[in-house]
Amino acid sequence: MTIQFKKETFRDDFTFSNSPEAIRRFPFPFDKDQYMYAVNIEQHMPGPEKSPYEFPIDIDEHYVAEMEDRALVLKQDPLRCQSLPHMITAEWDLVELLMESMAKNYPEHFQLTRDGDRWHWVNQPLGIDQRFTFGDTATLPCPPMEYITRQCQGDFNLLDQRHDNLWMDAGIVTTQADWSLDFDIGMNFMEWHAPVPIAHDLGVFDRALKFLLNLQQGRPVRRLNWTMTINPRLDTSPENYHKWGIDRTTVTPENVGNKVHLRVELQALWRLPRSNAIVFSIRAYLIKMEELVTIPKWARRFHRVLRDLPPELADYKGLTRYRETTVDWLSKYDDGAPTSPGFFPD
Amino acid sequence: MPIKSRPIYPGLKLDQRARRHLVAAEGEGALAVLAIFEGKGDAAASATIVYTPGGSAGEDHAEKLADLKPDALHVMPSQETAIVRLNGLLGNAAMGTRLYAAGVEGFIGKVIASGLEHGVDHQSIYTEHCGSLARRVQCVHCKGMTENVTATPFTCSHCGLNLFVRDHYSRRLAAFQGVVVDCETPGELPEIEELYR
């Protein structure tokens, strides 16, 4: 299966869009007509064919364009990629995880040949052909985590485990929903989640941490998270909020369909073999309202979820300014009919 | 509600088992230091104190610290110079050294950050918050630090953006996070609140 990679942008003229196939495989995050925080962690098992869960690492039609956007972000702000010195073993673990997974599941695009420590990596969509010595940083053009994550969709964090806690000690973060790696690096699990409302009191983070401390090698887990973004902008960082925040004031009843996007994060966690660190990947998927409503079940359900969202959650997610306009627009696609259980289209 | 990423400063106490006491104090933090070493001549004799008077310059705290007869007392003209001196001392510190920090939050944060750079676990540092509640804030946009922030919103002393102070604290940076407040409502600022006097 060869993927047709699209030429598109996530800034300036915002030419991003989803093909009908990409819409159908969108990881719609609501299995009910309302939403509240939960420890919605499940095994990261292979899912239905063509779904974003089919393989551990999902590569889709936006791959090349997303990698170009990442390169632009890093050029403007090198602090988006940082790693504390003790994380170098985990960086190599990540190289292995991503190269193995990409080469195994997308062999027509990526090839990996291993001969002991001598590895040969070919990335055809990005035109890369690299021979290197696994474990020897000097044989790559940049540090290992940066090298491989410039070639893989999604943000990646490497979490060190010590003192019964997880510490965010390395990461590459260019497509984030308003959090700063530069600020959070070195924090533990409770600390980097400090600004999230409500969930602390629900005990969500205590339970999630306990669960993750026991994460086993070869048994990755995943969860979905969501927010909304105006324009298909991947780099909604706090660093650049003074530039993109104004977009939230530009939503009108006429442009909701094209401007307002549901942004879903497929978060996955793997235990790494050499370092005992954990990979925390955050892969963002965007879908415009006019694309979303082509799936009638999703149109009805998202209208209800957004309409009934608790105000503090709407505030935290930054939706307040354009929520009502969006709910009004969506209401045209909600005839009040019951929705079927589960995430998938009918 | 406490800020989950903000350290807790339980107050100074003397570590009786420490072989050396490395004490960094700012302003009114001197009083906390005096309280734990008063009448403990042996402990004081194995203490190195780095003190910067800050806003307490008019008081006689430095003299009182000298009266403890510590092994060494370094009275420094600013937080920055105190941290430079502390870094020098940490570079030569031996096993069995206990690190203490007392003063305004920004100063404690810098001491903890120095400790981290020298391999001192932040949880092992004894801390006490004294004096003003002013915050040290990093602008998330230009990354510039503004010291002694007492109100939100305030103007970044580097890039000039109007920032509100998010309840999120980085130990590594020893700072709260400042985020632009009026980019969705240009020219419309929320009322300035003096929250951190």
Side-chain angles (χ1 to χ4, degrees), chain A residues 77 79 82 84 163 167 178 180-188 190-192 194-195 200-201 238-242 245-246 248-249 321, chain B residues 1 3-6 121-123 138 140-143 161 166-173 175-181 183-186:
Chain A
D77 183 1
L79 294 176
Q82 295 190 50
L84 300 181
H163 300 320
W167 303 79
D178 203 9
S180 166
L181 172 75
D182 180 53
F183 195 80
D184 286 3
I185 191 170
M187 288 190 190
N188 70 36
M190 293 301 164
E191 291 169 346
W192 86 68
H200 285 280
D201 299 327
E239 276 83 357
N240 285 330
Y241 170 59
H242 58 307
I246 191 81
R248 288 175 174 166
T249 66
R321 202 174 293 282
Chain B
M1 200 175 74
I3 301 167
K4 305 272 181 195
S5 53
R6 186 186 209 172
D121 189 314
H122 68 93
Q123 289 158 330
Q138 188 202 40
V140 76
H141 311 292
C142 76
K143 307 290 181 184
L161 287 176
R166 191 175 267 181
D167 279 345
H168 195 24
Y169 182 88
S170 162
R171 194 182 315 110
R172 190 181 63 93
L173 300 169
F176 286 85
Q177 189 174 57
V179 182
V180 71
V181 68
C183 74
E184 296 183 33
T185 52

Side-chain angles (χ1 to χ4, degrees), chain A residues 164-275:
Chain A
D164 282 331
N165 215 321
L166 296 172
W167 303 79
M168 186 174 292
D169 286 346
I172 184 162
V173 178
T174 65
T175 65
Q176 70 268 48
D178 203 9
W179 68 280
S180 166
L181 172 75
D182 180 53
F183 195 80
D184 286 3
I185 191 170
M187 288 190 190
N188 70 36
F189 191 82
M190 293 301 164
E191 291 169 346
W192 86 68
H193 284 117
V196 184
I198 309 176
H200 285 280
D201 299 327
L202 297 177
V204 165
F205 295 125
D206 293 301
R207 275 176 285 148
L209 175 61
K210 206 171 206 175
F211 181 85
L212 293 175
L213 288 172
N214 292 305
L215 187 65
Q216 302 295 309
Q217 227 191 95
R219 306 195 60 187
V221 297
R222 67 172 175 244
R223 68 180 288 261
L224 294 176
N225 195 13
W226 70 280
T227 184
M228 294 174 76
T229 303
I230 302 310
N231 296 326
R233 187 189 297 278
L234 283 175
D235 175 23
T236 46
S237 58
E239 276 83 357
N240 285 330
Y241 170 59
H242 58 307
K243 298 175 191 159
W244 58 260
I246 191 81
D247 292 359
R248 288 175 174 166
T249 66
T250 61
V251 178
T252 65
E254 291 73 39
N255 65 21
V256 166
N258 185 46
K259 231 181 209 311
V260 178
H261 290 69
L262 173 62
R263 177 196 187 92
V264 173
E265 294 178 353
L266 171 54
Q267 306 180 347
L269 299 110
W270 289 260
R271 176 73 69 188
L272 293 171
R274 298 170 186 78
S275 57

Side-chain angles (χ1 to χ4, degrees), chain A residues 86-226:
Chain A
H86 61 275
M87 298 306 283
I88 190 68
T89 308
E91 289 194 33
W92 283 109
D93 275 332
L94 182 65
V95 168
E96 179 180 59
L97 177 76
L98 298 186
M99 285 187 182
E100 287 282 2
S101 178
M102 290 162 76
K104 180 177 170 211
N105 298 310
Y106 303 92
E108 55 292 316
H109 298 301
F110 310 100
Q111 295 93 38
L112 176 67
T113 318
R114 294 171 62 160
D115 173 15
D117 289 344
R118 285 182 305 177
W119 291 30
H120 182 199
W121 167 249
V122 178
N123 177 335
Q124 290 177 343
L126 298 184
I128 292 170
D129 185 315
Q130 179 79 42
R131 292 174 194 276
F132 64 99
T133 306
F134 187 86
D136 182 354
T137 303
T139 60
L140 285 176
C142 64
M145 175 184 72
E146 179 179 346
Y147 178 77
I148 192 57
T149 55
R150 277 177 178 270
Q151 303 178 47
C152 192
Q153 287 168 278
D155 287 345
F156 288 86
N157 299 282
L158 296 173
L159 315 180
D160 194 30
Q161 182 161 338
R162 57 183 192 272
H163 300 320
D164 282 331
N165 215 321
L166 296 172
W167 303 79
M168 186 174 292
D169 286 346
I172 184 162
V173 178
T174 65
T175 65
Q176 70 268 48
D178 203 9
W179 68 280
S180 166
L181 172 75
D182 180 53
F183 195 80
D184 286 3
I185 191 170
M187 288 190 190
N188 70 36
F189 191 82
M190 293 301 164
E191 291 169 346
W192 86 68
H193 284 117
V196 184
I198 309 176
H200 285 280
D201 299 327
L202 297 177
V204 165
F205 295 125
D206 293 301
R207 275 176 285 148
L209 175 61
K210 206 171 206 175
F211 181 85
L212 293 175
L213 288 172
N214 292 305
L215 187 65
Q216 302 295 309
Q217 227 191 95
R219 306 195 60 187
V221 297
R222 67 172 175 244
R223 68 180 288 261
L224 294 176
N225 195 13
W226 70 280

